[in-house]
Amino acid sequence: MSAETHGHGPNHGQGHDHAHHDAHDHHGGAAHGSRREYWIGFILSVLLTAPAFALVMTGIIPDPRVTAGIVIALALVQIVVHMIYFLHMNTKSENGWTMLALIFTAIIVLIVIAGSLWVMYHMNLNMMPGMQMEQSSGGM
Amino acid sequence: MSTTAQTAPGTAAPSYYDLDEHEHPPGASTMLGFWLYLMSDCLIFAMLFAAYGVYGGSFAGGPGPKELFELPLVAVNTTMLLLSSITYGFAMLNADEKNKAATLRWLGVTGVFGAAFLAIELYEFSNLIHEGAGPWRSAFLSSFFTLVGTHGLHVTFGIIWLVTLMVQVARRGLEPANLRRLQCLSLFWHFLDVVWIGVFTFVYLLGVLR
C-alpha cells in the first residue's frame, strides 16, 4: 500500500502539483489548504468577529440576552469556519480518524462544561445563605 | 501487503494473518498523533472554561468584568491573532511550493504578530494587577488569569517553537522532516486561534454583557 492512497484529503493537487510528490509521501495524509481557502477563512472570520465586538461595544440591542445569543452563535460558526479553512478538517484525512477524534473530544468538552455549570448551579442554589441561616436558627 | 492465507487441516475456512508489519515511512503517524495531542489539549481548556463558567460570577466584593475589561484592547488582540493565523497559512503555502525565503519571511511575520498578541496581553495583565485585580482578588479573577494565562503560555511556547523551526528551515531547508514540523506547528497555531474565539466570546464579550 503506498502513501498516496492512504487517505489524502480532497484538496490535493490544487495549485501545487509540482511539489506534490516529494512533499506528500511523508506526512501521513493530512489535508492542505489553498491560497483561496485561507483568504475565504480570513474574510469569514473578520465578518464573524467584527459584528460580535460591535454589538457588545455599542450595546445597540437593548436586551443583553439577545446580544449574548447572537455573540455565541457567531462564535460557534467561526469555530467551524476555522476548523474547515485553517485546520483543513474533513472526513477523509487520516481515514477519518481525525474527525472521529474531534467528535469524541467535542462530546467530552460538552459534557464537562455543561455538566460543571449544571451541577455547580444547583449546588449553589441548594446552599443559599438564607437556607443555611434557617437551618442554623432552627437548630439553636 | 503480506497477508498470508493458511488453511488449517480439517477446517474449510482459511484464516488470515498479518505476518509482517506494514511499511511505514518515517513520520507517517506524526500528524494523527499531533492531532490527538491537540484534542487532549482541548480538554485542558475545557476544564479551564468550565472553572471560569462556575466561578465567573464570584467577585468576592471585588471588581467585575464590566469595570475591568477593555474591549478595544481585546479587539486589537483578536486582530493580531487572526492576522498571525493567515500569515502562517501563507508560510505553509510557500513551504509547499518549496520557496524557502518566502516561507521564512511569512514565519517571521507570524512571529511578530504572535509577539504583539503576547505583549498586549501582558500589558493587560499588568494593568489589572496594578489596579489590585490580580488573581488573588476573587475566584472570578483566579479562573480568569488561569484560563487566559494558559492560552498565553501556549502562544509563548508556539513562538519559541516557531523561532526554532525558522532556524531549522534556514539551516537545513524545506526537507520532509521540516515540512512535517511546520505542519504540526500549523495545527497548533490555528488551534490556539480557535481557543481564542472561545476566550474572547465567553470571557470578554459575555463578561461585559452580564
Side-chain angles (χ1 to χ4, degrees):
Chain A
M1 196 187 274
S2 82
E4 286 297 305
T5 57
H6 211 75
H8 278 288
N11 309 316
H12 276 245
Q14 285 181 2
H16 50 268
D17 283 313
H18 57 284
H20 198 254
H21 286 284
D22 17 328
H24 287 228
D25 284 344
H26 295 276
H27 68 80
H32 279 203
S34 61
R35 204 163 292 267
R36 193 171 147 270
E37 263 188 85
Y38 279 112
W39 274 114
I40 294 174
F42 180 74
I43 290 166
L44 282 177
S45 297
V46 172
L47 290 178
L48 290 164
T49 309
F53 273 92
L55 278 178
V56 175
M57 284 163 87
T58 58
I60 205 158
I61 299 173
D63 189 350
R65 274 171 307 175
V66 177
T67 315
I70 297 172
V71 166
I72 291 172
L74 288 172
L76 293 179
V77 175
Q78 201 185 340
I79 287 173
V80 174
V81 165
H82 275 242
M83 285 283 172
I84 294 172
Y85 291 103
F86 289 158
L87 286 162
H88 315 303
M89 276 306 292
N90 57 55
T91 52
K92 302 273 166 43
S93 65
E94 304 282 359
N95 292 324
W97 284 108
T98 51
M99 183 54 94
L100 201 67
L102 178 67
I103 293 168
F104 175 70
T105 310
I107 292 170
I108 300 287
V109 166
L110 200 75
I111 293 172
V112 165
I113 293 179
S116 301
L117 292 177
W118 184 43
V119 168
M120 296 308 282
Y121 173 75
H122 280 275
M123 207 182 77
N124 282 341
L125 215 61
N126 291 330
M127 293 179 74
M128 290 287 267
M131 210 163 153
Q132 279 176 333
M133 273 197 287
E134 251 170 58
Q135 277 172 345
S136 57
S137 63
M140 275 211 250
Chain B
M1 281 293 201
S2 53
T3 312
T4 317
Q6 289 180 331
T7 314
T11 53
S15 49
Y16 291 93
Y17 301 99
D18 241 2
L19 291 180
D20 300 315
E21 232 185 282
H22 299 284
E23 198 189 326
H24 291 297
S29 51
T30 304
M31 297 316 292
L32 180 59
F34 194 77
W35 182 256
L36 293 181
Y37 154 68
L38 282 185
M39 292 298 101
S40 66
D41 217 11
C42 208
L43 296 182
I44 293 181
F45 280 108
M47 308 292 163
L48 297 177
F49 271 111
Y52 182 82
V54 169
Y55 291 127
S58 311
F59 305 131
K66 232 173 213 157
E67 298 101 76
L68 292 177
F69 295 160
E70 289 171 52
L71 285 187
L73 206 62
V74 181
V76 173
N77 233 354
T78 306
T79 314
M80 290 299 142
L81 213 55
L82 193 56
L83 284 172
S84 82
S85 249
I86 191 170
T87 56
Y88 198 98
F90 292 153
M92 281 311 292
L93 292 170
N94 280 302
D96 280 342
E97 289 161 7
K98 301 283 179 199
N99 190 340
K100 184 172 147 184
T103 305
L104 284 174
R105 207 162 45 237
W106 283 115
L107 284 178
V109 174
T110 308
V112 169
F113 280 130
F117 171 85
L118 266 188
I120 294 169
E121 194 165 278
L122 287 175
Y123 168 76
E124 189 201 7
F125 279 6
S126 74
N127 266 1
L128 286 177
I129 290 169
H130 277 296
E131 286 170 35
W136 54 85
R137 182 62 191 84
S138 61
F140 150 65
L141 282 164
S142 301
S143 54
F144 165 80
F145 272 94
T146 314
L147 172 59
V148 182
T150 304
H151 179 269
L153 212 58
H154 275 75
V155 176
T156 311
F157 281 106
I159 292 173
I160 294 171
W161 189 2
L162 186 101
V163 173
T164 314
L165 272 187
M166 282 174 74
V167 174
Q168 288 256 47
V169 170
R171 289 175 76 172
R172 297 169 64 186
L174 292 163
E175 45 153 20
N178 275 343
L179 275 177
R180 196 165 65 232
R181 290 165 190 147
L182 283 172
Q183 270 179 342
C184 285
L185 182 56
S186 166
L187 289 180
F188 187 73
W189 200 262
H190 293 309
F191 167 76
L192 288 184
D193 206 5
V194 173
V195 173
W196 183 252
I197 298 171
V199 172
F200 80 68
T201 302
F202 291 101
V203 175
Y204 289 102
L205 293 181
L206 294 189
V208 170
L209 275 179
R210 80 194 271 164

